[in-house]
């Protein structure tokens, strides 16, 4: 039985596919960095002030990415929460530590919505390595004393959040992860502690009221004058 010969045209059609496969094996395409920006979730008391939460950037991709500038916008629908400021004092290392153009205060407005931005002062940008997490801003906020209790979402606004490289080109953001602020009732003193404090105050009041006066009575000037005359006679 004669074996069929491969036609030259069919062999030529296979050459590009084989070449592409060899190129992929010998020269793999570098993986794109995967960028996640996250709002920290926290628990606070009603009527508290000076509370903080962080906005962070995480690079989960296989390669480093160099960031030249950023901006972000957060928002909450709860009218009892007031975002007052954003600073570079983040828990995670700040992305432009020692190279901040606008820090330490980086917010441009405040309220239920807060916008913040910063850039590399050197212009060279700062590298975020694979697997690294860096801070974009520490948010300070207050909660009204009559605030409703419960968990309230803090969202990152897509249209107000972006990253750029040192050349000003956009760095894709893969995911924006919002957080939440859980408002709890303020701490109430234990009954035993309250009774002890009240008892101590009552004891001090009674002690002060019953203490004898140690003030010496003052003699009038006329009495002193009469006594002097008696001694002269």
């Amino acid at each position: 039985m004669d074996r069929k010969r491969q036609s030259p045209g069919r062999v030529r059609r296979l050459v590009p596919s084989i070449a592409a496969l060899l190129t992929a094996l010998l020269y793999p395409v570098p993986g794109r960095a995967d960028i996640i920006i996250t709002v920290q979730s926290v628990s606070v008391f009603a009527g508290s002030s000076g509370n903080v939460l962080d906005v962070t950037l995480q690079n989960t991709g296989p390669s480093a990415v160099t960031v030249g500038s950023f901006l972000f916008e957060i928002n909450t629908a709860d009218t009892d929460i007031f975002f007052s400021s954003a600073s570079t004092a983040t828990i995670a290392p700040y992305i432009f530590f020692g190279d901040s153009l606008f820090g330490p205060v980086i917010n441009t407005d405040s309220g239920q919505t807060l916008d913040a931005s910063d850039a590399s002062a050197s212009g060279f940008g700062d590298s975020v390595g694979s697997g690294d997490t860096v801070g974009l801003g520490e948010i300070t906020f207050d909660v009204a004393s009559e605030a409703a209790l419960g968990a309230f979402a803090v969202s990152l606004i897509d249209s107000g959040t972006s990253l750029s490289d040192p050349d000003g080109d956009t760095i894709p953001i893969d995911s924006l992860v919002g957080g939440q602020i859980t408002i709890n009732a303020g701490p109430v003193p234990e009954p035993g502690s309250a009774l002890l404090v009240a008892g101590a105050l009552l004891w001090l009041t009674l002690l002060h009221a019953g203490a004898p006066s140690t003030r010496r009575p003052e003699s009038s000037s006329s009495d002193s004058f009469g006594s002097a005359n008696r001694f002269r006679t």
Side-chain angles (χ1 to χ4, degrees):
M1 185 173 179
D2 295 336
R3 299 175 64 182
K4 294 182 179 180
R5 299 177 60 187
Q6 296 283 351
S7 65
R10 184 178 181 184
V11 173
R12 283 195 296 272
R13 287 194 298 271
L14 292 175
V15 170
S17 299
I18 296 172
L21 178 61
L22 290 174
T23 301
L25 292 174
L26 295 175
Y27 306 100
V29 177
R32 182 175 65 84
D34 296 316
I35 301 298
I36 302 173
I37 296 180
T38 303
V39 177
Q40 180 187 11
S41 294
V42 296
S43 294
V44 298
F45 293 120
S48 58
S49 60
N51 306 293
V52 295
L53 60 82
D54 277 8
V55 177
T56 60
L57 181 154
Q58 183 181 16
N59 177 11
T60 62
S63 58
V65 60
T66 301
V67 179
S69 63
F70 72 83
L71 60 89
F72 66 80
E73 181 177 274
I74 60 172
N75 170 266
T76 180
D78 185 5
T79 57
D80 292 321
I81 296 173
F82 182 88
F83 298 121
S84 56
S85 67
S87 75
T88 61
T90 54
I91 297 174
Y94 184 62
I95 187 171
F96 297 134
F97 179 75
D99 190 31
S100 171
L101 182 61
F102 303 130
V105 178
I106 59 173
N107 61 298
T108 55
D109 59 7
S110 58
Q112 286 178 248
T113 299
L114 180 142
D115 293 88
S117 61
D118 202 0
S120 166
S122 66
F124 297 114
D126 290 84
S127 178
V128 182
S130 173
D132 287 349
T133 298
V134 294
L136 295 184
E138 180 190 69
I139 312 302
T140 303
F141 65 96
D142 303 329
V143 180
S145 57
E146 301 300 324
L149 307 183
F152 301 91
V154 180
S155 304
L156 281 159
I157 308 303
D158 182 73
S159 60
T161 304
S162 64
L163 299 173
S164 299
D165 65 18
D167 295 325
D169 297 325
T170 299
I171 298 174
I173 300 173
D174 295 88
S175 182
L176 297 176
V177 181
Q180 66 180 25
I181 295 174
T182 301
I183 301 176
N184 302 303
V188 178
E190 296 181 2
S193 300
L195 289 174
L196 285 174
V197 172
L201 290 174
L202 179 61
W203 182 80
L204 288 173
T205 302
L206 294 174
L207 182 65
H208 180 73
S213 175
T214 57
R215 188 175 177 181
R216 296 179 62 185
E218 296 181 0
S219 58
S220 63
S221 58
S222 59
D223 291 342
S224 300
F225 182 77
S227 299
N229 289 335
R230 284 195 299 270
F231 281 110
R232 289 197 184 113
T233 57

